[in-house]
Amino acid sequence: MMRHVVHERFSYSDSIILVNAVIQTFYTDNYSEFDIFWETARDQFAYKLFKSNRETIIHEYLWFVSDNTSVEEEFRISGYGEEMFVFYENTLKDFNVKIPAKIIPNFDYINKHGFCEECKSCKKLINYVDWIASKIEEFKPNIIHSAFHILMLNKHFLRDFHEKLAEYLERDKDILLELYPEFIAETGKIKRMSFWPVWLKRGVFFRDKGVCTICRNPLSGDLFLGIDPDIDHIVPLDRFGNNDPSNLQILCNKCNNKKRNYSSETSSYDIPYWNIPLPNNYED
């Protein structure tokens, strides 16, 4: 019997902003920010790299960037421009939050005389920002989870993220071996999982739309016949990769045997919605 599918509310409005902040932070970082993230990861949730969890290392990085990007700061940078309010109001609509009319400031008045921070209208504006920020904070776990689903589609980012993680795993391999000997081999590399949980195999399979990431040949149907497609580490364990779900992809057996531990090959190809083939007996 098939289990009931759990539906979750997604907030794509604010999560897109967060994804942009994550990508910008990651690619412009001179390693100082990532150093801070890694020290926390190593000491508090390194287990996510050893055994696959639904709350992934990418979730943790999203929290890290999010905690350093406040709603109040976004408004301040924008000069309290009205376009920012429209954006965050739409985010709250995603959660069916109705904004009380009495707390909405007079934007026309503020636009005409400027933002002085001192008058009654501007103080009302500041209070309005505080109210929006508190609501966004309340829904942050959902925003983080929505952003994760966007980032999971960006395999080049996933590859680059896990290659950077691999540098830290290799650098601190002696520390990790001492802290987590049950998960770290004598070589300092993370041990391979003995089996992949069903939820993970199904999730990666459907994210990759049932085709080999590299050669793009279909693997559709294999999962339902009890024949698992090859689950591949994007950054191989032999190159200090890890077992987090965001470091996985599906490959056909031929591509997996060719890739093995030699590379972090992946692909940015995907199947556009309108290109999904119709059944043979369907007339368009």
Side-chain angles (χ1 to χ4, degrees):
M1 180 182 296
M2 183 174 291
R3 292 182 179 179
H4 177 67
V5 176
V6 177
H7 295 254
E8 298 182 26
R9 184 188 297 275
F10 274 43
S11 171
Y12 285 120
S13 299
D14 199 44
S15 61
I16 289 170
I17 293 293
L18 177 55
V19 166
N20 286 335
V22 162
I23 290 174
Q24 183 176 5
T25 299
F26 180 80
Y27 285 110
T28 60
D29 181 24
N30 60 3
Y31 282 80
S32 59
E33 289 288 324
F34 208 84
D35 278 340
I36 298 170
F37 170 73
W38 167 248
E39 287 176 8
T40 305
R42 183 191 62 201
D43 298 338
Q44 295 185 19
F45 42 82
Y47 65 89
K48 297 193 175 192
L49 303 175
F50 310 145
K51 297 181 69 175
S52 293
N53 289 264
R54 287 179 169 87
E55 291 289 319
T56 69
I57 197 72
I58 295 291
H59 285 86
E60 299 297 344
Y61 191 63
L62 282 160
W63 277 107
F64 173 78
V65 173
S66 178
D67 288 343
N68 290 284
T69 308
S70 69
V71 173
E72 295 91 335
E73 182 70 9
E74 292 286 345
F75 277 114
R76 187 191 65 77
I77 292 172
S78 72
Y80 291 91
E82 192 169 356
E83 69 279 358
M84 288 295 295
F85 292 97
V86 172
F87 173 79
Y88 280 109
E89 286 166 0
N90 284 333
T91 296
L92 294 178
K93 286 178 183 177
D94 288 347
F95 297 102
N96 294 330
V97 174
K98 187 175 182 180
I99 301 172
K102 65 181 181 180
I103 72 169
I104 300 176
N106 188 332
F107 290 112
D108 289 338
Y109 175 79
I110 295 171
N111 288 336
K112 287 177 183 177
H113 95 288
F115 180 65
C116 68
E117 301 187 33
E118 298 296 331
C119 71
K120 184 177 179 180
S121 293
C122 287
K123 287 182 178 178
K124 188 173 184 178
L125 175 60
I126 293 172
N127 291 334
Y128 185 54
V129 169
D130 290 342
W131 184 88
I132 289 177
S134 68
K135 289 296 179 183
I136 294 297
E137 187 69 24
E138 180 182 338
F139 297 116
K140 187 177 282 189
N142 184 287
I143 293 168
I144 295 286
H145 199 52
S146 301
F148 162 76
H149 281 80
I150 297 173
L151 279 176
M152 274 292 279
L153 299 174
N154 187 341
K155 288 185 184 169
H156 281 176
F157 169 78
L158 298 180
R159 176 201 61 201
D160 296 344
F161 180 85
H162 285 284
E163 284 186 338
K164 183 177 278 193
L165 264 184
E167 295 177 27
Y168 287 83
L169 285 163
E170 183 174 14
R171 186 195 72 184
D172 292 353
K173 61 184 180 181
D174 293 336
I175 298 173
L176 292 166
L177 179 58
E178 183 177 351
L179 291 173
Y180 311 105
E182 68 271 34
F183 298 114
I184 306 295
E186 290 296 327
T187 59
K189 299 168 185 175
I190 292 174
K191 293 178 181 179
R192 189 174 302 274
M193 288 181 62
S194 57
F195 69 94
W196 299 113
V198 173
W199 62 263
L200 185 147
K201 291 190 292 185
R202 290 179 66 83
V204 175
F205 182 88
F206 283 109
R207 180 204 61 184
D208 294 349
K209 296 186 174 72
V211 302
C212 174
T213 297
I214 294 176
C215 73
R216 312 306 298 165
N217 283 325
L219 302 168
S220 300
D222 289 353
L223 195 68
F224 303 101
L225 296 174
I227 306 170
D228 290 343
D230 290 351
I231 301 291
D232 169 67
H233 293 84
I234 298 174
V235 178
L237 295 179
D238 269 7
R239 292 173 175 258
F240 290 90
N242 62 80
N243 292 315
D244 189 81
S246 59
N247 189 39
L248 303 176
Q249 61 188 354
I250 62 169
L251 297 181
C252 67
N253 185 256
K254 181 178 179 180
C255 287
N256 194 23
N257 286 335
K258 183 178 179 181
K259 177 179 179 289
R260 284 299 178 188
N261 301 322
Y262 308 130
S263 76
S264 299
E265 185 177 359
T266 188
S267 170
S268 60
Y269 278 90
D270 204 342
I271 303 174
Y273 297 123
W274 314 139
N275 291 1
I276 294 175
L278 298 169
N280 293 330
N281 60 352
Y282 185 88
E283 294 183 7
D284 193 355

